[in-house]
Structures are given as structure tokens and as C-alpha cells.
């Protein structure tokens, strides 16, 4: 139009006014997208060369918001070069209708003075060359759509003037121009072990998995998210790639070619220092036993396996609980349609603006929860595709058969981690069919959840994002009663233990806790064991009598439950004598697992495992299994209670080299003879059992993985101190209480994460 | 061809809806079949004058614009005169979510042309009156562009004068064939003749009526159409004069006074 500030009858009747308004909006969105990409590439460069990568993560949300506010002038208004450079990336933002495209071409030409000759990619993205667009242009503007209708303009746009004032040196500017923006679909392999290095990558959004090794033997080294760098070693040293890097879901990255990196390294020694620093830091983190592979930023999808599943309610409750862990966004179809009403009729996965909005949500929140529709469809597909982790939610009543929804999930996003949620009607009885649910499907974890129980939903939330609170109870014979006191300290502190595991006596106590016993119930149970007669353990032979007693006590107090049916996940460790390796029990009858874990060789009969292996006390291999717990908790705090001191207190035993057990026994039984002070066979067997793993722990590799390690002072209570039940409970309680108090005082931010109510 | 009249004002509260309803009833009295469209979708209200409440509107213009109903389904007869004249109302929805939907999504105003064509045919209408949204938005501009005449309602108030200047200029650029001004709510102390002359001099278009502020109209409070209740009131007679001008078939060209 000649005069854009007047209105004519033709404008109205041809609908030009509304088309121009739409075109202006499209242009605004394109500008916002380009401004965003430009801000991102700039930050990537700054992070790389000036060591501001923390800021990258922090300031991103604000910058993006700013660039999205179409009314405001962008701090960094896009230049013609930027629009052209990112033309392929903003293409999806241009609506398909030829009329709108014609109007967008007109508006772009009017605002930036670009012509098909100066910005060919941009014009292609707007549909220049499409006959339908040409016709629409003719109809609307009364002229043929060709170069003559779109005169180019030479003078720079006002937007470009204050350009680059803050980028001090030429090197950074060059790097920015050399950066390449890639949108990589889920499953794309960015580099392979052994490849020649070509690019350095920087993650803008999405998830990249770094793994080494081949086929099924792949070992995950790290899951990278926003702001992280990958491939820098290769491009600097020229050595072949040392790992495979795969996009776990649709991701955006920028990459810098090797030649450019080397050129810059040459020009700017600062950059080399910077990369060195990053490498050193990474190495330090990876070498630390507390190193976590899981990313803290996650996108989650809640998908129902049958139409009756209350997906909406579960998603809403999940969001509520995640809020204690970090900023969280709830994305449902309603919400997306509220932002973009046209989605009611369009395929959301084709909507560029929606996808940009989603990546904004991801940048501004630690967690994004995608709520799928009750029915399968395009929205549900989108949720599945966007997720790092997918909660497959089933209702108990619908039965354990595999559902079409799961096939869809596997087809659309095979790399996402899948977890099964079985909604149970009430906590009155433990579930008893979980095995059948797990038998038919492959999931990384499962959750038995009663929706009405807040604690269940909170636990599900923490476990789903890998921030479960884990408690590990170590072995230690009769000293295990200290664990019972420790449990009281946890209860008083109000710490919600999400998952529990242990070895030997730790496994027995953990089994009691896993069946939802509070401190009082545990104290009663402990007393039952203490007074139940497993006391006379002095005879150096497998005691069938004692074995039977222990077995029947365990069976009685675990109600014949299976581990997978528990509300609170449980595991314990035993040792396979057959294979000489540790065994992690996370399914099967609870009593049998606990019994195997605590089968001190020589005192209790071994247990036969499911595959026929002979299983004995786990203490031989792993007396405080923090490592196994870490695998289940990823980033969550793991608290371990160790009852085996590095140095055992020894009474001044007076015994010659040929002392016989029988003589000691005789000396005890004969009231006329002063008892010979010698370590009992029980003490010896127990210490023997644990010695190997205690020695290994000295290196800190296992215990060092705990966030809090509690060592109740056990040196003073003998391993045979059966009558000292109350004393042991007290020691455990006091040590744990003191340790928890100090820990929470030193890390006040933990209180919220641990669900501790303010005093 | 049917007469299409947009009743417009630059600002709200001028008496646009009341004027529109009265013109419709008076046209029907003259034996015409008239359609009234509540195109003020953002702030509908003319249905009240015809004795309808928001809840009574089951099918509305909104349903047509969203393709959920045909335009004839939305029309309901709200008045019939002895000589065979009738008034059909096409109301706008009073449902919050439907009003918000329009704000969010807009609609294809070009559908309104089809609607008018279909309505005039199926109901054999002689005239179509459009109660527009005050001010200038695209829907209103569209109504003006397709009208054969525009009645611009204003109060004797400096703000209204200035705004009407803008609206008249835009209507001219849209080549509206006839433009009539109706001054409403004039205080009894004002010299109507002098005002008419002054406004015609300023805006270069006919002032079709100067209606006094009326306590009866105020008291009626849009509960009924004034011309119905007070058929012999001077206001009714003045409005009937406007109807006469609108129906005069001879004068179909652009306003001569320009
Ligand atoms: N001439 C008049 N004298 C007194 N009150 C009037 C007159 N014309 C209209 N009104 C009153 O002014 C108010 C607004 O009228 P309405 O027709 O709804 O205006 P609009 O549609 O322009 O917003 C109503 O309360 C109406 O009764
Ligand atoms: Mg009104």
C-alpha cells in the first residue's frame, strides 16, 4: 500500500487490513525468534571465551522473554544478515495460507528493504516462488510478485546501529558469525566414537547423551543439557572422538567448526585457558565419587494407559510436589490452546510458535510437566516426543496387559526413560500383583501410588526426577539395633525416606521400615528379635535351630510380601557363593531377600536364590551399599548408616596360639573357672564376613558416594552385646539425631527438598 | 437491493443501540421487513430493548461466525407491525467464554457479507440495520464499508465532536454512499437549529435529527423501544423523519453536501 497510515475501501473489502495485521504479527514472531537465536549464539560464545556459562543459564529466560515481547524494541534487534542466516529456522513460523505469506513478503520488504536477490533464503522461507503466493499477492496488492515489486534498500536499518558495542574484540564477533545453529531431532547422532573431530557443540535446549562403548555395553558418561559444551577435546587435540553423542529428544545446539576453534585459540589465549578450566572442572566432577550423571533439568510426560486414568489430577499433583525441588511448568493442552487458540484445529507438533514457547518454558523452569490427553492423538504424541522421562500411568482395575499407548510411546520416543505408575485404590492392603504388571513390560522403575496419599505422590515426584531420598543401612550383627534408634531420629526430623536398602542386619531393619513401620513399631519389632532367642550364637557350626528361628521371624514380620509390591522401594545385597559376586535383590519375596542378605556364613544356612545360586551374607561384598542406592537416586540425597568401624575395639584378649573354641566354651560354662577372654566365634565370623568390604570402603569409593554418612560410635559395644538392646538403640538414635541436625543446619536449603516441616 | 444501515458512534453510550432499535421499529411500522444485527460482539446489548435477556439467546451471531449455525437459524422475530412490517434480531452472545473467544481469535469478517446476502434473501428483508461497536476497529470499518448508509450518533460534547470528525473522515475514505448525523441527548437549553447548522458546516454532512435529552427515555432505561411506548413523542417523530430519509430511494448517491 502506498500510504500505510490510511485505510481504503479496498483494504477493508479485500481483508488486507487483517492480513497486514497478521503479517506484522508473523514478522514480529520471526524477529523474536531471530533475536533469540542471536542472543543465544552470542551467549554461547561468551560462555566459551569469557567464562560466563553460569550466566548463560541464568540470564537466558530474561533475554528470551525480552526478545519475545514484540512491542518492546529488542535490546538486540535482528539485522538483515541474522534474518537471512536463520531463515531455515524461522520457516515454520510462517503460516501456510498464501494470502498471509504474500502479506508477510510485502511487510518484510517494507521493513527491511530486502529483496529476493539480497536475501534468497528468507524469501524462500516466506513462500516466494510458490504460484499460489504469487496469485494472492496479485489479488491483494494489484501487482505481480517479482523482483520489480520488491525494491531492495541499501541503507542499514535503524536496528543495526548500536550493534556489538559490548563485544569487545574481533575474535568474539568472528566466532559468533561462524556459529551454526542446528535443530536436531531425537535420535540424531552428533558424533561417534572414533570419528575425526569436526565441530565443537554447545547445547541450547534439549538433551544430549554422552556414552562410550559399543552396542548394549554402552556406558552413559553424562546427560548434557542447556549451557553445556561437548566435543571440545577433540577439536583442540585433533584426536578421534572418545564417545558417542546422541540427541535424546528434539534438541537445539550451536556448533563451531574445528578450523574456527583453532583459529580462535590462536588469536585468543584466553579461550584456551577457558577450555582448560572447563576440562579441569569436568575432570574433577567426574572423579568425585558423588558425581551424578543425571541432568537436573528434566521434561516429564504424564501419559495414561487407558482413558479412565486421572492424568490431569496426577499431573497437577506432580507439579505441586516438584515445586519444592525447583521451578516447574505445567503444560497441558488447555494451557497451550490458551496461548495459541489455533491449536484446536491444527497439529501442535507442526506449530513453530508453540515449539518456541515450549523451549522457553524449558529454559525458564527446572522441570516441565507435559500432561497428555486422556485419549491418544496429536497432543499426546507431542507430549511423548518432548519428554526426557515418561510416566506411564495405569489404573489397577484395568489390568496388567500391555496397552496401545505404550506401543505408541516406544515408537515415538524410544530413548526416553519410561516408568510405570500403578494407581491403587487405598493403602489398606499392599498390592499383590505388581509382578504381573512388570512381567509384560520394560520400564526403568515402577511406582505403586494411592492418589489420595500426599506422601505417595511426593515420593513418586522425587523418584521420577531422580531426587529420591535414599537411606542405606549397613551390616553389623547385633549392632543393627542401632538402626532402629536411627529410624526414630529420621521420624523426628520429619525426613521422608523414599527408598531404603541395606545389607545383612541392615537389610532386616530396612525390610521392617519398607513395610511402612514407624519408629515405635520398629522398636517393638526389634525387641521381638532381641528377646526372640537369637542369642546363643556361640557354637561354631551351622545352626539349623537358629536358622529356622530367624526365618520364621522374618516371614512373620514381612507378611509374605514381595519387594515389588511395597509402597516404599527396597533393595538388599547378598553374596552369591556360586558366582562370587554381589546380588542386588529388588524383587521377589521380601523375607527371602532379607534372609539371604543376613546369612552370616557358618552361623545361618545359606539361601538358594531364584537361579539356584547359593546366597550368603551381603557383607562380604558390600556391607554399606551406597553405590547401589546411588544408582536408584541419581541426584537425590543418600544417607548411609555405617555400623562397622574401621578399627575394631579389641579387649585385651589373653589367648595363646592354640586356644580352642571348646575350651573357651568350657571356661564360660564352668562357674569355677575365670572365663577366658577371647573373641567369640560369632565376633570372628562377622568381622571376617565384613573385613573385605570394610577394607574396600577405606578408599572412600563407596561410602564417599553418600551425601551424609553417619557412624554411630560402635567401638564400645561388642558384637555380642545381646542384652544391650536399649543401649544400642540409644546410641543409634543419638548419633543420627546429632548428624541430621548438623547436616540440616549446614545445608538449610535441604529442608525443603527433604520435605522437612519448618520447626 | 436492501438498504444496509450501520448505526455507529465514535464513543460509547451515545444512544446508538436505542437509536438503532427505534429506527428498526419505525421502519417496520412503514411496512418494511427489517433485520437488526448486533455487530457489537464485544459489548452486545440491543437484545434487551426487544425484551430478551442474555440467557434467552440460544443461537447467536457468534454461532454463525464460528460455523456452528446457519445465519437464518440465528434470526428471531422480535416485532411485528399491523401493516405486515417485521423486525428480526440477530443477537450476539452474552456468554463470557464466547465473547472472550472473539477477542482471542477474531473471526473472518468477510463472512458477514454472505450472512447479509442470505438473510435478505431468505427473510426477504427490505433493510438491514447494524448496531456496531463504537470506535474504529476492523469489524466496524467493514460494516461501514458494506453499508449503503451510515447513521453516526453523537452527543453535544467536545469529545464526541472530535471523535465524530475522525469517524466521518474514515467513512468518507471508505466511500460510504450516505452519511447522516443524529445528535442525541441534547439539553433543552440548546438551540437545536443553530447546532445543526454548525455541525453541518464542520462535517459537511446532513444532521438528520437533533434529539433532546428525555426523562422518559432515561426512565425507560432500554426496557422497551421508545417509539413503541411513546408513538407520538417528538423524539419518535424526529426518528421517523430519519427513517424517511433513509428509505428515500431517490437519494442513493454520495452525500451532496460534501
Ligand atoms: N435521548 C435520550 N435521553 C435520555 N437518555 C437516553 C437518550 N438516548 C439514550 N439514552 C440512554 O442512554 C443510555 C445509553 O444508550 P444506548 O442506546 O445503550 O447507547 P450505546 O448503544 O451507544 O452505548 C441508555 O441508558 C439509554 O436509556
Ligand atoms: Mg449499545
Amino acid at each position: 500500500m502506498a500510504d500505510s497510515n490510511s485505510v481504503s475501501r479496498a483494504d477493508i473489502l479485500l481483508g488486507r487490513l487483517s492480513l497486514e495485521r497478521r503479517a506484522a504479527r508473523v514478522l514480529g514472531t520471526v524477529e523474536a525468534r531471530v533475536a533469540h537465536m542471536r542472543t543465544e549464539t552470542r551467549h554461547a560464545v561468551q560462555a566459551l571465551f569469557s567464562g560466563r556459562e553460569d550466566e548463560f543459564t541464568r540470564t537466558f529466560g530474561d533475554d528470551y522473554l525480552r526478545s519475545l515481547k514484540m512491542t518492546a524494541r529488542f535490546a538486540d534487534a535482528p539485522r538483515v544478515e541474522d534474518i537471512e542466516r536463520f531463515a531455515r529456522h524461522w520457516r515454520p513460523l510462517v503460516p501456510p495460507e498464501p494470502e498471509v505469506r504474500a502479506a508477510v513478503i510485502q511487510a518484510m520488504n517494507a521493513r527491511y528493504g530486502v529483496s529476493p536477490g539480497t536475501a534468497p533464503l528468507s524469501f524462500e522461507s516466506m513462500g516466494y516462488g510458490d504460484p499460489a503466493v504469487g496469485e494472492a499477492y496479485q489479488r491483494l496488492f494489484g501487482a505481480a510478485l517479482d523482483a520489480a515489486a520488491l525494491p531492495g534498500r541499501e541503507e542499514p536499518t535503524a536496528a543495526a546501529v548500536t550493534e556489538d558495542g559490548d563485544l569487545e574484540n574481533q575474535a568474539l564477533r568472528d566466532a559468533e558469525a561462524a556459529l551454526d545453529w542446528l535443530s536436531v531431532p531425537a535420535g540424531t547422532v552428533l558424533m561417534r566414537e572414533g570419528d575425526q573431530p569436526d565441530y565443537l557443540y554447545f547445547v541450547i535446549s534439549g538433551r544430549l547423551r554422552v556414552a562410550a562403548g559399543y552396542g548394549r555395553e554402552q556406558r552413559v558418561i553424562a546427560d548434557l543439557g542447556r549451557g553445556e559444551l561437548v566435543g571440545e577435546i577433540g577439536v583442540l587435540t585433533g584426536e578421534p572422538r572418545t564417545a558417542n553423542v546422541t540427541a535424546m529428544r528434539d534438541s537445539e545446539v550451536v556448533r563451531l567448526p574445528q578450523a574456527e576453534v583453532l583459529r580462535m585459540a590462536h588469536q585468543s589465549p584466553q579461550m584456551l585457558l577457558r577450555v582448560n578450566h572447563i576440562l579441569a572442572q569436568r575432570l574433577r566432577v567426574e572423579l568425585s565419587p558423588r558425581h551424578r550423571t543425571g541432568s537436573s533439568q528434566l521434561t516429564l510426560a504424564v501419559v495414561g494407559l487407558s482413558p479412565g486414568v486421572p492424568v490431569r489430577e496426577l499431573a497437577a499433583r506432580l507439579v505441586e510436589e516438584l515445586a519444592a525441588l525447583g521451578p516447574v511448568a505445567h503444560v497441558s493442552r488447555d494451557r497451550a490452546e490458551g496461548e495459541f487458540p489455533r491449536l484446536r484445529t491444527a497439529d501442535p507438533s507442526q506449530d513453530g510458535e508453540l515449539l518456541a514457547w515450549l523451549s522457553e518454558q524449558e529454559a525458564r523452569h527446572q522441570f516441565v510437566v507435559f500432561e497428555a490427553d486422556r485419549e491418544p492423538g496429536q497432543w499426546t504424541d507431542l507430549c511423548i516426543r518432548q519428554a526426557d522421562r515418561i510416566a506411564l500411568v495405569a489404573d489397577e482395575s484395568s489390568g496388567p496387559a500391555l496397552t496401545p499407548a505404550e506401543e505408541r510411546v516406544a515408537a515415538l520416543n524410544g530413548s526416553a526413560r519410561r516408568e510405570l505408575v500403578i494407581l491403587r485404590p487405598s493403602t489398606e492392603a499392599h498390592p499383590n500383583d505388581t509382578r504381573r504388571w512388570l512381567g509384560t513390560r520394560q520400564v526403568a522403575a515402577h511406582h505403586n501410588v494411592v492418589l489420595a496419599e500426599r506422601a505417595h505422590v511426593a515420593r513418586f515426584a522425587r523418584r521420577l526426577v531422580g531426587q529420591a531420598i535414599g537411606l542405606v543401612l549397613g551390616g553389623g550383627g547385633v549392632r543393627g539395633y542401632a538402626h532402629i534408634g536411627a529410624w526414630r531420629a529420621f521420624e523426628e526430623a520429619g525426613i521422608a525416606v523414599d527408598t531404603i536398602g541395606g545389607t545383612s542386619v541392615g537389610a532386616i531393619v530396612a525390610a521392617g521400615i519398607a513395610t511402612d513401620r514407624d519408629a515405635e513399631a520398629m522398636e517393638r519389632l526389634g525387641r521381638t528379635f532381641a528377646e526372640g532367642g537369637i542369642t546363643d550364637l556361640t557354637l561354631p557350626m551351622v545352626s539349623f535351630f537358629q536358622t529356622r528361628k530367624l526365618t520364621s521371624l522374618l516371614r512373620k514380620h514381612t507378611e509374605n510380601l514381595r519387594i515389588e509390591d511395597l509402597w516404599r522401594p527396597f533393595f538388599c545385597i547378598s553374596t552369591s557363593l556360586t558366582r562370587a559376586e554381589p546380588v542386588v535383590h529388588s524383587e521377589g519375596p521380601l523375607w527371602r531377600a532379607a534372609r539371604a542378605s543376613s546369612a552370616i556364613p557358618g552361623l545361618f544356612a545359606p539361601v538358594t536364590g531364584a537361579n539356584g545360586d547359593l546366597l550368603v551374607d551381603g557383607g562380604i561384598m558390600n556391607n554399606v551399599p551406597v553405590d547401589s542406592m546411588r544408582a536408584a537416586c541419581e541426584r537425590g540425597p543418600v544417607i548411609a548408616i555405617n555400623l562397622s568401624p574401621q578399627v575394631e575395639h579389641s579387649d585385651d584378649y589373653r589367648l595363646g596360639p592354640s586356644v580352642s573354641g571348646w575350651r573357651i566354651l568350657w571356661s564360660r560354662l564352668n562357674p569355677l573357672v575365670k572365663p577366658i577372654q577371647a573373641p567369640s566365634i560369632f565376633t570372628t565370623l562377622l568381622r571376617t564376613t565384613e573385613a573385605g568390604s570394610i577394607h574396600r570402603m577405606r578408599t572412600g569409593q563407596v561410602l564417599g558416594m553418600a551425601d551424609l554418612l553417619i557412624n554411630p560410635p560402635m567401638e564400645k559395644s561388642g558384637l555380642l552385646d545381646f542384652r544391650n538392646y536399649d543401649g544400642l538403640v540409644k546410641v543409634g538414635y543419638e548419633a543420627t539425631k546429632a548428624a541430621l541436625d548438623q547436616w540440616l543446619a549446614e545445608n538449610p536449603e535441604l529442608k525443603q527438598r527433604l520435605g522437612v516441616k519448618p520447626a | 437491493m436492501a438498504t444496509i444501515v450501520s448505526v455507529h458512534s465514535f464513543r460509547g453510550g451515545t444512544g446508538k443501540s436505542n437509536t438503532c432499535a427505534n429506527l428498526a421499529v419505525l421502519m417496520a411500522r412503514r411496512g418494511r421487513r427489517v433485520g437488526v444485527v448486533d455487530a457489537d460482539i464485544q459489548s452486545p446489548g440491543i437484545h434487551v430493548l426487544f425484551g430478551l435477556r442474555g440467557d434467552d439467546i440460544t443461537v447467536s451471531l457468534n454461532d454463525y461466525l464460528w460455523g456452528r449455525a446457519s445465519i437464518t437459524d440465528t434470526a428471531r422475530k422480535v416485532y411485528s407491525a399491523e401493516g405486515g412490517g417485521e423486525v428480526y434480531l440477530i443477537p450476539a452472545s452474552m456468554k463470557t467464554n464466547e465473547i472472550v473467544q472473539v477477542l482471542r481469535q477474531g473471526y473472518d469478517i468477510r463472512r458477514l457479507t454472505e450472512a447479509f446476502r442470505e438473510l435478505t434473501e431468505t427473510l426477504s428483508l427490505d433493510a438491514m440495520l447494524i448496531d456496531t461497536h463504537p470506535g474504529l476497529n476492523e469489524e466496524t470499518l467493514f460494516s461501514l464499508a458494506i453499508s449503503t448508509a451510515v447513521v453516526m450518533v453523537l452527543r453535544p460534547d467536545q469529545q464526541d465532536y472530535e471523535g465524530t470528525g475522525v469517524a466521518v473522515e474514515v467513512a468518507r475514505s471508505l466511500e460510504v454512499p450516505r452519511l447522516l448525523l443524529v445528535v442525541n441527548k441534547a439539553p433543552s437549553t440548546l438551540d437545536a437549529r443553530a447546532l445543526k447548522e454548525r455541525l453541518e458546516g464542520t462535517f459537511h454532512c446532513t444532521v438528520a435529527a437533533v434529539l433532546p435529552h428525555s426523562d422518559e427515555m432515561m426512565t425507560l432505561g432500554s426496557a422497551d423501544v421508545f417509539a413503541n411506548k411513546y408513538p407520538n413523542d417528538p423524539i419518535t417523530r424526529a426518528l421517523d423523519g430519519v427513517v424517511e430519509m433513509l428509505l428515500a430511494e431517490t437519494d442513493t448517491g454520495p452525500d451532496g453536501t460534501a
Side-chain angles (χ1 to χ4, degrees):
Chain A
M1 262 175 295
D3 179 0
S4 61
N5 292 327
S6 74
V7 58
S8 76
R9 197 173 162 78
D11 288 339
I12 302 295
L13 295 180
L14 287 169
R16 261 195 320 232
L17 200 63
S18 60
L19 279 171
E20 281 180 16
R21 210 163 48 205
R22 267 188 87 184
R25 221 177 80 80
V26 169
L27 206 56
T29 317
V30 167
E31 286 170 340
R33 181 77 182 142
V34 170
H36 159 59
M37 293 176 82
R38 196 152 165 263
T39 313
E40 289 286 44
T41 45
R42 163 166 304 182
H43 281 189
V45 169
Q46 284 172 345
L48 185 52
F49 302 109
S50 7
R52 287 203 257 156
E53 87 254 42
D54 296 344
E55 239 165 86
F56 177 78
T57 321
R58 199 153 13 90
T59 59
F60 169 75
D62 302 336
D63 280 334
Y64 190 44
L65 259 192
R66 185 150 33 92
S67 66
L68 262 186
K69 280 201 184 112
M70 276 161 251
T71 47
R73 288 274 4 121
F74 305 121
D76 263 336
R79 297 164 304 176
V80 173
E81 304 97 272
D82 299 319
I83 293 180
E84 178 67 2
R85 177 150 75 103
F86 294 123
R88 274 184 302 118
H89 299 282
W90 55 255
R91 184 169 303 174
L93 299 179
V94 183
E97 298 104 294
E99 281 190 323
V100 181
R101 292 185 157 217
V104 171
I105 289 177
Q106 174 74 18
M108 177 77 89
N109 173 255
R111 188 172 307 177
Y112 289 97
V114 286
S115 63
T118 57
L121 290 175
S122 300
F123 273 81
E124 197 189 315
S125 288
M126 294 184 288
Y128 183 78
D130 175 352
V133 175
E135 272 167 42
Y137 192 91
Q138 174 81 50
R139 199 166 51 244
L140 283 171
F141 303 108
L145 177 55
D146 54 28
L150 305 165
R153 214 187 314 129
E154 283 302 308
E155 83 252 35
T157 51
V161 176
T162 55
E163 182 54 25
D164 291 345
D166 55 287
L167 272 189
E168 291 126 9
N169 67 60
Q170 188 62 33
L172 297 192
R173 261 200 300 273
D174 291 350
E176 205 189 317
L179 278 177
D180 208 1
W181 184 292
L182 294 183
S183 303
V184 288
T188 308
V189 178
L190 284 179
M191 60 180 88
R192 260 180 243 279
E193 207 170 328
D195 279 357
Q196 280 308 309
D198 42 8
Y199 293 98
L200 171 158
Y201 295 87
F202 195 85
V203 186
I204 300 289
S205 72
R207 182 85 54 233
L208 301 185
R209 169 158 293 179
V210 185
Y214 292 97
R216 298 188 68 80
E217 295 297 302
Q218 287 235 346
R219 182 175 63 89
V220 176
I221 298 171
D223 278 341
L224 302 180
R226 166 163 192 76
E228 288 180 291
L229 200 62
V230 63
E232 71 292 338
I233 308 182
V235 292
L236 283 174
T237 61
E239 297 288 321
R241 298 296 196 194
T242 51
N244 302 317
V245 177
T246 314
M248 299 298 287
R249 54 184 165 86
D250 296 355
S251 303
E252 291 187 314
V253 300
V254 291
R255 65 177 190 189
L256 194 59
Q258 180 182 29
E260 190 61 27
V261 178
L262 293 175
R263 195 185 60 73
M264 296 182 59
H266 190 68
Q267 274 186 4
S268 143
Q270 199 197 353
M271 172 214 161
L272 271 183
L273 284 177
R274 183 68 211 134
V275 172
N276 272 340
H277 176 72
I278 293 174
L279 283 180
Q281 214 170 28
R282 183 175 299 171
L283 217 55
R284 200 165 56 233
V285 172
E286 269 167 22
L287 289 179
S288 145
R290 254 169 272 174
H291 166 55
R292 279 137 214 212
T293 51
S295 175
S296 66
Q297 292 200 336
L298 289 171
T299 54
L300 313 161
V302 181
V303 178
L305 294 187
S306 58
V309 171
V311 174
R312 168 159 305 182
E313 189 187 347
L314 184 62
R317 301 271 307 278
L318 174 63
V319 167
E320 249 168 57
E321 298 301 339
L322 288 178
L325 305 178
V328 51
H330 182 172
V331 176
S332 62
R333 195 232 273 270
D334 282 352
R335 168 108 195 271
E337 284 182 356
E339 298 281 338
F340 308 101
R342 60 178 175 277
L343 294 178
R344 258 169 261 243
T345 50
D347 180 355
S349 67
Q350 299 302 317
D351 194 299
E353 243 185 294
L354 171 71
L355 298 179
W357 179 74
L358 289 179
S359 89
E360 179 204 337
Q361 297 304 312
E362 199 184 322
R364 293 172 53 207
H365 298 94
Q366 186 174 0
F367 309 110
V368 181
V369 174
F370 286 86
E371 173 194 319
D373 278 345
R374 274 166 176 251
E375 310 281 340
Q378 290 170 334
W379 175 257
T380 297
D381 286 356
L382 176 96
C383 294
I384 293 170
R385 243 185 265 120
Q386 292 285 328
D388 288 321
R389 295 191 180 173
I390 301 174
L392 302 166
V393 189
D395 194 90
E396 178 187 272
S397 59
S398 63
L402 265 181
T403 61
E406 283 158 285
E407 282 162 29
R408 189 88 191 133
V409 167
L412 285 175
N413 190 350
S415 59
R417 172 177 165 135
R418 280 163 279 168
E419 303 195 3
L420 176 70
V421 180
I422 313 171
L423 295 178
R424 306 291 188 176
S426 84
T427 51
E428 263 160 45
H430 273 93
N432 59 19
D433 62 349
T434 311
R435 180 164 49 147
R436 290 173 46 229
W437 288 84
L438 297 178
T440 47
R441 35 176 74 78
Q442 284 198 318
V443 288
H446 73 277
H447 310 255
N448 279 305
V449 170
V450 174
L451 210 45
E453 294 286 321
R454 167 125 199 237
H456 281 201
V457 180
R459 179 181 300 154
F460 158 62
R462 285 188 292 260
R463 288 182 60 213
L464 184 65
V465 300
Q467 298 206 17
I469 304 159
L471 175 60
V472 182
L473 305 181
V478 76
R479 286 171 177 172
Y481 291 136
H483 289 319
I484 290 172
W487 186 234
R488 177 166 289 286
F490 272 87
E491 190 174 290
E492 284 179 7
I495 294 177
V497 170
D498 294 318
T499 160
I500 189 161
T503 296
S504 199
V505 69
I508 296 178
V509 177
I513 293 173
T515 47
D516 276 348
R517 283 181 168 84
D518 60 11
E520 207 187 308
M522 282 309 292
E523 278 158 19
R524 273 201 308 275
L525 182 67
R527 205 172 291 281
T528 315
F529 274 73
E531 289 163 2
I534 309 182
T535 49
D536 192 7
L537 297 171
T538 49
L539 295 178
M541 62 174 80
V542 172
S543 165
F544 293 104
F545 178 67
Q546 297 299 348
T547 299
R548 236 175 60 204
K549 212 174 233 172
L550 178 61
T551 304
S552 75
L553 270 171
L554 281 173
R555 290 192 80 142
K556 182 165 166 226
H557 294 288
T558 59
E559 307 159 40
N560 281 325
L561 280 169
R562 293 181 65 87
I563 296 174
E564 60 272 26
D565 284 324
L566 295 170
W567 302 118
R568 193 195 315 260
F570 164 95
F571 76 86
C572 68
I573 306 285
S574 74
T575 301
S576 162
L577 286 183
T578 317
R579 283 162 222 276
E581 63 183 19
V583 176
V584 179
H585 299 260
S586 54
E587 54 185 37
L590 181 57
W591 74 266
R592 184 186 281 274
R595 170 71 182 75
S597 182
S598 53
I600 302 168
L603 288 181
F604 299 104
V607 172
T608 316
N611 56 357
D613 280 10
L614 219 50
L615 305 176
V616 294
D617 197 300
I620 298 169
M621 290 290 183
N622 195 347
N623 199 39
V624 192
V626 186
D627 47 353
S628 304
M629 182 57 90
R630 180 54 78 203
C633 286
E634 290 177 296
R635 317 182 66 86
V638 171
I639 304 168
I641 300 180
N642 173 34
L643 303 180
S644 301
Q646 290 287 339
V647 177
E648 191 63 75
H649 170 81
S650 55
D651 289 311
D652 39 347
Y653 296 130
R654 292 176 286 107
L655 67 164
S658 62
V659 66
S660 120
W662 291 111
R663 258 198 65 202
I664 296 168
L665 179 64
W666 179 80
S667 83
R668 294 244 176 99
L669 295 175
N670 187 335
L672 301 176
V673 178
K674 186 170 179 268
I676 296 176
Q677 286 302 316
S680 76
I681 188 68
F682 180 78
T683 307
T684 308
L685 285 174
L686 195 63
R687 190 70 182 164
T688 311
T689 303
E690 296 175 353
S693 45
I694 291 172
H695 174 70
R696 239 174 312 122
M697 279 174 197
R698 209 160 266 160
T699 65
Q701 272 305 329
V702 176
L703 290 181
M705 289 169 114
D707 295 275
L708 175 65
L709 175 65
I710 303 173
N711 292 299
M714 285 292 140
E715 291 81 355
K716 295 231 164 53
S717 56
L719 290 162
L720 268 175
D721 220 348
F722 296 107
R723 275 157 293 271
N724 192 18
Y725 174 72
D726 292 314
L728 282 164
V729 171
K730 187 157 174 275
V731 170
Y733 168 75
E734 281 169 357
T736 307
K737 182 174 164 49
L740 288 177
D741 284 351
Q742 189 189 348
W743 191 50
L744 291 178
E746 283 169 5
N747 306 280
E749 76 287 351
L750 277 172
K751 287 188 186 163
Q752 198 183 5
R753 268 181 69 188
L754 298 178
V756 175
K757 288 160 217 80
Chain B
M1 192 202 145
T3 314
I4 299 179
V5 182
S6 281
V7 181
H8 185 59
S9 66
F10 189 79
R11 300 177 65 224
T14 52
K16 192 164 46 67
S17 297
N18 272 278
T19 306
C20 191
N22 278 292
L23 292 177
V25 164
L26 290 167
M27 280 185 181
R29 290 253 182 86
R30 287 167 175 262
R32 303 299 203 281
R33 300 172 60 79
V34 188
V36 174
V37 178
D38 194 347
D40 190 357
I41 298 188
Q42 283 104 308
S43 43
I46 197 168
H47 56 275
V48 176
L49 282 133
F50 293 107
L52 297 176
R53 286 170 309 128
D55 290 348
D56 299 332
I57 304 170
T58 47
V59 194
S60 65
L61 180 63
N62 306 56
D63 292 310
Y64 165 75
L65 291 170
W66 289 100
R68 295 185 292 243
S70 82
I71 190 69
T72 19
D73 288 344
T74 67
R76 55 198 289 170
K77 196 194 294 178
V78 286
Y79 178 80
S80 42
E82 277 159 26
E86 283 176 333
V87 176
Y88 290 87
L89 175 68
I90 291 91
S93 170
M94 284 299 282
K95 292 182 189 129
T96 319
N97 59 342
E98 295 192 346
I99 295 177
V100 172
Q101 186 184 17
V102 168
L103 290 181
R104 276 198 180 287
Q105 285 161 278
Y107 54 87
D108 188 356
I109 40 171
R110 284 172 287 179
R111 269 177 78 78
L112 280 177
T113 349
E114 275 166 56
F116 292 166
R117 197 174 302 132
E118 199 179 321
L119 275 175
T120 43
E121 266 170 35
T122 48
L123 300 174
S124 30
L125 300 179
D126 302 302
M128 185 80 87
L129 300 185
I130 309 173
D131 187 10
T132 64
H133 186 63
L136 296 176
N137 61 24
E138 203 188 358
E139 289 92 324
T140 299
L141 293 183
F142 185 78
S143 303
L144 299 186
I146 60 170
S147 294
T148 52
V150 169
V151 173
M152 203 78 80
V153 185
L154 67 153
R155 288 160 298 199
D157 171 299
Q158 283 306 325
Q159 293 188 53
D160 278 22
Y161 293 160
E162 215 174 53
T164 304
V166 173
V168 164
E169 195 179 318
V170 169
R172 283 236 168 74
S173 75
L174 297 177
E175 298 159 40
V176 176
R178 295 192 73 188
L179 206 53
L180 300 178
L181 298 186
V182 169
V183 179
N184 192 18
K185 302 189 184 179
S188 48
T189 51
L190 212 71
D191 179 350
R193 182 175 297 272
L195 181 65
K196 177 175 152 75
E197 269 169 26
R198 191 154 61 84
L199 291 179
E200 287 184 340
T202 315
F203 297 126
H204 305 293
C205 57
T206 312
V207 172
V210 177
L211 308 175
H213 175 89
S214 144
D215 286 343
E216 286 87 349
M217 176 98 91
M218 237 358 221
T219 317
L220 195 56
S222 300
D224 197 349
V225 179
F226 187 82
N228 248 346
K229 195 128 196 229
Y230 304 98
N232 296 315
D233 191 279
I235 290 188
T236 307
R237 273 185 271 126
L239 283 165
D240 198 44
V242 179
V243 167
E244 197 170 354
M245 292 170 84
L246 288 170
L247 295 177
E249 275 165 51
T250 47
D251 190 7
T252 51
D255 189 47
T257 54

